[in-house]
Amino acid sequence: MTGILAMSHLGKESFAIKELLALFDHYYDVLYKTNSIPEESAENSSASIEDELLQELAMLKQSASKKSSPPSSFTPYSIGISCNVFIKTPENIIPSHFLSHILSDLASTKRKMTRYTSTLIPFDLVVHADFETIVKGVAKLCGEDIHIGPFSSVYKVFNEVEDSEDVSANRCKFNGKKYKVVSRVRHNTVIPKDELINQVAEAIPKVNNMVDLKSPDLCVMVEVIKGICGLSILSDYTGLKRYNVESIFEPPVSGPPSVPKKRPLEPTAESLSESV
């Protein structure tokens, strides 16, 4: 299972689900569905105005009879934690790439399409919350993520990757990279956070790579919630304000305000008399 963990305002989970389903469906239709318009046949082109009007009236009547909107391609799930909801994504997308495109587009267009959502975290892989399974999942993401760009045509799912020379050359993101492990453990008393970071770091290739906590090229996301763990590798985590939907609309913070220089006081008659 893959999906996106959404954090909402307190008590607004249902509103956040509604707006996120609309947001995700919009970008899913734009990126993955082609709206092909059939060519008009000679018979249709010669149709009379009366036939066209009757056809439009039939379409309007059909749309008015539909009380509910079409089903979403995404499925929301409650995880029993306030301000949190998990949304399952379709199998043909990679959540991190999908979400990266959405946030990048929102940041560039400054078009705010959410009101009750604060943060979104992609889960490219969901595993059981135990050290062995988590480490294997991280190793799988590091060693078999071959996708080039957010929406490459070479979508493969982890162990289904073909073993060609071209694929092998692009298989590992971790090649001369600075990385950082971003972990969080909630509602779980079995997994210590410090030990989790150490275990995950052991699964990351060490050749030509180094840890950089301030300006990493890649962030390995490890989110433990109850008995599950969501994993992903993000290359724009810092640039997209840690995937905080509200923060990407904030204006960039400039440098510290300049302090005006104090002008030297002009000598007065009293100061001159004192100096004498």
Side-chain angles (χ1 to χ4, degrees):
M1 177 187 293
T2 62
I4 296 172
L5 178 68
M7 300 181 186
S8 69
H9 299 171
L10 181 62
K12 303 295 183 181
E13 292 85 353
S14 60
F15 295 96
I17 291 174
K18 184 177 180 180
E19 68 183 11
L20 286 175
L21 292 180
L23 175 69
F24 294 162
D25 282 330
H26 167 73
Y27 279 96
Y28 185 70
D29 291 342
V30 170
L31 296 166
Y32 293 94
K33 293 183 179 180
T34 56
N35 298 323
S36 58
I37 302 176
E39 297 181 358
E40 293 185 355
S41 61
E43 183 179 355
N44 291 334
S45 62
S46 62
S48 63
I49 297 177
E50 290 80 2
D51 293 337
E52 292 181 0
L53 290 175
L54 290 174
Q55 188 177 5
E56 290 183 5
L57 288 173
M59 294 176 63
L60 289 173
K61 184 177 180 180
Q62 183 180 4
S63 61
S65 63
K66 294 181 179 179
K67 296 182 179 180
S68 59
S69 58
S72 173
S73 300
F74 300 80
T75 308
Y77 290 93
S78 174
I79 59 176
I81 302 176
S82 300
C83 305
N84 287 261
V85 63
F86 180 78
I87 298 180
K88 183 179 181 296
T89 53
E91 295 180 356
N92 64 325
I93 73 171
I94 303 298
S96 61
H97 296 166
F98 180 65
L99 196 54
S100 173
H101 181 91
I102 292 176
L103 296 180
S104 298
D105 188 60
L106 295 179
S108 61
T109 61
K110 298 301 180 183
R111 181 176 54 177
K112 191 172 179 61
M113 300 178 66
T114 56
R115 180 180 178 183
Y116 305 101
T117 305
S118 58
T119 305
L120 298 171
I121 302 175
F123 286 2
D124 286 350
L125 186 62
V126 179
V127 299
H128 292 290
D130 61 81
F131 283 129
E132 182 179 359
T133 309
I134 293 173
V135 169
K136 288 181 179 180
V138 172
K140 184 176 288 188
L141 284 178
C142 292
E144 297 181 354
D145 189 357
I146 65 166
H147 311 295
I148 305 171
F151 296 98
S152 174
S153 60
V154 292
Y155 276 107
K156 298 291 181 182
V157 181
F158 305 124
N159 56 0
E160 297 177 1
V161 175
E162 297 177 0
D163 197 9
S164 63
E165 294 182 359
D166 294 338
V167 170
S168 299
N170 297 317
R171 174 168 291 180
C172 185
K173 273 187 172 183
F174 283 88
N175 186 9
K177 299 291 185 179
K178 298 179 293 182
Y179 68 91
K180 173 184 178 181
V181 178
V182 180
S183 66
R184 181 161 45 187
V185 180
R186 293 184 292 162
H187 297 267
N188 184 299
T189 58
V190 179
I191 304 291
K193 182 178 179 180
D194 294 338
E195 181 63 20
L196 176 62
I197 295 176
N198 295 332
Q199 293 282 346
V200 169
E202 290 298 323
I204 299 175
K206 301 298 187 296
V207 180
N208 299 328
N209 301 307
M210 61 180 296
V211 177
D212 190 328
L213 302 181
K214 293 184 177 180
S215 57
D217 300 317
L218 300 172
C219 287
V220 181
M221 306 296 298
V222 184
E223 185 86 14
V224 175
I225 304 177
K226 295 185 176 181
I228 66 169
C229 176
L231 304 171
S232 59
I233 300 177
L234 308 179
S235 60
D236 49 8
Y237 182 69
T238 304
L240 290 177
K241 306 295 182 68
R242 300 182 180 182
Y243 280 38
N244 187 300
V245 185
E246 297 173 333
S247 297
I248 63 175
F249 295 102
E250 297 177 355
V253 180
S254 58
S258 57
V259 180
K261 296 181 179 180
K262 294 183 178 180
R263 297 178 59 182
L265 298 176
E266 296 181 0
T268 61
E270 294 180 357
S271 61
L272 290 176
S273 62
E274 290 179 359
S275 61
V276 175

